Amino acid sequence: MANTALTKKKRWNDEAMAGLIFVLPPIIGFLLFTAGPFLFSIFASFTSWDSMTDLTGLFKMDKVEREFFYIGFENYKELFTDIDFWKSLWNTLVYMIGIPLGILWAFSLALSFNKQLPGVKVYRVIYYIPVVSSIVAVSLLWSWLYNGDYGLLNQALRAVGIEGPNWLQNAHTVKPAIMVMCVWRGVGNTALLYLGGLQNLPKSYYEAAYIDGANGWTIFRKITWPLMQPITFYIVITGIIGGAQMIVEPQIMAPAGGPDYSAATIVFYIWQKAFGSADAKGYACAAAWVLAVIIFVVTAIQFKLSPSSENYLE
């Protein structure tokens, strides 16, 4: 009995050691590249850290250097008085108007893709191509489309007697222009999610509804759309998080934040402060943490307001 117990214990130790070896690389990677920068960014947000600061000498600073480097909440105070920060935050919120627009368009496409129509598989592929295309290439393509002199959009408007604006150089049109591009690029992925949900809906609900004499609109309103709510919830949450982190599109289509900083997003603002001429990495860390808190609060509210799974058909 003792030998058996020792054998089992040795086997368990060997399996535990093997498992530890397998999980050790991702744990080390997480500590080095996620947890470490995460904790350091909190510390840096209370400092005047820039590229000229020698981080290896933080504990060797004299009193004057330390007082200059550790500035407490000054970054946060300056952040909330910076007009460009509020502009970029407002621009980011405006861009998110595209989330419900994209949901409506994508759901309409998914309803069409769910029917046995000629060539429907080809259309599914066509709408999904922008999702897997390079975001830089797509942004450049739409920049040419929006060009005020030779862009295809303005050429089409001139053909019907309308003189279009310079879309990306106009403070009133740059946000809608970029938002339309973002909706167009993401609609294929959203439609695919809805299509997967539609194809897995229980047929028994529809059979019972038809037996009860329900029409198409009633079936959609009482069965189809409510059962799509978990997918819609996922799309809204990921859309808000992704929208809050948008940077490539405005960076390429409206360099320097567009006219009067009307196209800059909050992440563009953070990037500009961290790696632009200001070179204020501590200040950028403070802005990043404000953004993280906003995302966390909005996501928590969404989870709180979301109905439980058993209430979708109520």
Side-chain angles (χ1 to χ4, degrees):
M1 291 291 293
N3 290 335
T4 303
L6 290 174
T7 302
K8 289 183 178 179
K9 183 177 180 180
K10 183 178 183 303
R11 185 184 304 140
W12 186 90
N13 289 337
D14 292 342
E15 291 177 354
M17 182 60 67
L20 180 62
I21 292 173
F22 274 109
V23 302
L24 198 57
I27 291 176
I28 293 175
F30 172 79
L31 293 175
L32 289 178
F33 302 111
T34 302
F38 175 87
L39 295 175
F40 178 77
S41 68
I42 300 176
F43 163 76
S45 70
F46 297 100
T47 69
S48 60
W49 174 42
D50 57 28
S51 296
M52 303 302 294
T53 304
D54 182 11
L55 295 178
T56 61
L58 291 180
F59 301 103
K60 301 178 183 179
M61 293 180 176
D62 57 33
K63 183 178 180 181
V64 176
E65 291 175 330
R66 193 176 297 111
E67 289 178 353
F68 177 78
F69 185 72
Y70 300 104
I71 58 176
F73 288 93
E74 291 302 316
N75 283 331
Y76 293 93
K77 293 177 182 178
E78 182 181 350
L79 180 69
F80 290 122
T81 58
D82 187 353
I83 188 65
D84 285 343
F85 167 75
W86 293 108
K87 282 184 178 180
S88 64
L89 185 60
W90 169 252
N91 295 338
T92 304
L93 294 175
V94 172
Y95 286 132
M96 290 186 185
I97 296 175
I99 296 175
L101 298 178
I103 287 175
L104 293 175
W105 185 11
F107 192 72
S108 301
L109 287 174
L111 290 173
S112 301
F113 292 161
N114 197 38
K115 300 181 183 297
Q116 298 300 320
L117 301 173
V120 68
K121 293 183 179 180
V122 176
Y123 283 106
R124 292 176 186 172
V125 173
I126 291 173
Y127 273 96
Y128 198 73
I129 287 176
V131 179
V132 296
S133 299
S134 167
I135 187 172
V136 175
V138 170
S139 299
L140 287 173
L141 181 66
W142 278 77
S143 296
W144 298 334
L145 179 70
Y146 283 134
N147 186 276
D149 298 322
Y150 54 82
L152 290 178
L153 179 57
N154 278 0
Q155 290 185 29
L157 291 175
R158 290 191 193 104
V160 296
I162 301 174
E163 188 63 31
N166 194 344
W167 298 90
L168 299 179
Q169 298 301 320
N170 187 311
H172 300 291
T173 59
V174 63
K175 282 194 288 290
I178 295 177
M179 183 177 65
V180 168
M181 188 275 288
C182 293
V183 171
W184 170 85
R185 184 176 181 272
V187 71
N189 184 62
T190 306
L192 184 66
L193 292 172
Y194 275 128
L195 179 61
L198 290 171
Q199 292 181 343
N200 286 281
L201 292 180
K203 304 299 182 185
S204 57
Y205 290 141
Y206 293 92
E207 293 170 356
Y210 283 125
I211 292 173
D212 291 340
N215 57 32
W217 170 245
T218 301
I219 291 174
F220 172 80
R221 188 166 56 90
K222 295 292 187 178
I223 298 177
T224 305
W225 180 246
L227 290 176
M228 290 291 102
Q229 292 308 297
I231 297 176
T232 302
F233 175 72
Y234 169 79
I235 292 170
V236 170
I237 290 295
T238 55
I240 290 175
I241 295 173
Q245 298 174 347
M246 186 172 71
I247 181 175
V248 177
E249 297 89 336
Q251 192 174 28
I252 293 176
M253 300 177 71
D260 195 27
Y261 219 61
S262 57
T265 60
I266 184 66
V267 175
F268 178 87
Y269 173 84
I270 293 171
W271 171 84
Q272 197 174 50
K273 293 299 181 182
F275 304 103
S277 57
D279 191 21
K281 291 180 172 55
Y283 181 87
C285 288
W289 270 101
V290 170
L291 174 61
V293 171
I294 292 173
I295 293 176
F296 175 81
V297 171
V298 172
T299 304
I301 292 173
Q302 288 288 326
F303 272 97
K304 185 68 175 179
L305 297 179
S306 176
S308 58
S309 57
E310 62 269 15
N311 296 328
Y312 286 125
L313 291 177
E314 289 185 357

